[in-house]
Amino acid sequence: MVNTEQNGDVPIPVIGFDHVAIAVPDLEVAMKFYGEKFGCEISKPFIVGTQNIRMAYVYLGNAKLELMEPMGEGSPISKFLERNPQGGIHHICLKVPDVEAAAEGASQAGLRRLGGDKLAEGHEGQDLFFMHPKDTLGTLIEIE
Ligand code: CO
């Protein structure tokens, strides 16, 4: 449970969990794995052109996995896979009611945002931002 009493006073008031993103070298293999081994419902694959990745969601009821496969060399995911050829956990995503206010809160709290001051746009048009893992105990955290 989110501690709502304390939640109003923090820089990034999280209200829930959204997804864990997993970098994979082969999206079809990964979709099949989660479908056949765990019986999970999987979305159709789709392209996120702005990030040069192909993605699919694994639905887990109140949360999901985001499977990400790089398209070409220009994607941040391809660098990750160079270091982790099998793939692996890339980031977690937490939900806030107001992304702009959370981004402001992050900056004021000294948590650097990746990609500068502008909010990024998700594939469904939603606002989001990432924080520098050096400022977040080594975990890449997305706020959506
Ligand atoms: Co994500």
Side-chain angles (χ1 to χ4, degrees):
M1 276 289 275
V2 171
N3 181 351
T4 45
E5 250 168 63
Q6 189 195 317
N7 207 248
D9 301 329
V10 301
I12 306 163
V14 164
I15 54 166
F17 178 74
D18 196 78
H19 62 266
V20 170
I22 299 176
V24 300
D26 186 323
L27 187 61
E28 274 65 32
V29 167
M31 291 169 67
K32 222 173 142 199
F33 176 77
Y34 282 100
E36 290 181 0
K37 298 291 193 280
F38 300 109
C40 295
E41 189 193 330
I42 321 269
S43 75
K44 291 219 159 26
F46 54 92
I47 289 171
V48 184
T50 51
Q51 291 173 67
N52 276 329
I53 57 176
R54 279 205 319 140
M55 271 180 42
Y57 285 122
V58 179
Y59 298 109
L60 302 168
N62 57 355
K64 55 193 189 256
L65 302 179
E66 187 175 88
L67 304 174
M68 309 183 296
E69 176 200 69
M71 300 188 337
E73 300 300 302
S75 158
I77 305 305
S78 45
K79 288 195 195 80
F80 181 92
L81 285 176
E82 275 168 31
R83 294 192 302 269
N84 312 275
Q86 271 205 299
I89 293 178
H90 183 267
H91 66 265
I92 65 169
C93 179
L94 305 175
K95 278 192 277 205
V96 298
D98 183 340
V99 176
E100 206 153 320
E104 188 65 30
S107 298
Q108 279 173 13
L111 307 174
R112 284 168 291 172
R113 280 145 59 190
L114 298 181
D117 279 346
K118 254 190 89 199
L119 294 176
E121 196 183 290
H123 65 96
E124 286 162 328
Q126 74 276 36
D127 287 336
L128 59 88
F129 68 93
F130 288 88
M131 287 174 285
H132 199 299
K134 283 198 174 136
D135 295 343
T136 54
L137 307 179
T139 298
L140 180 57
I141 302 177
E142 176 182 17
I143 299 294
E144 206 172 278

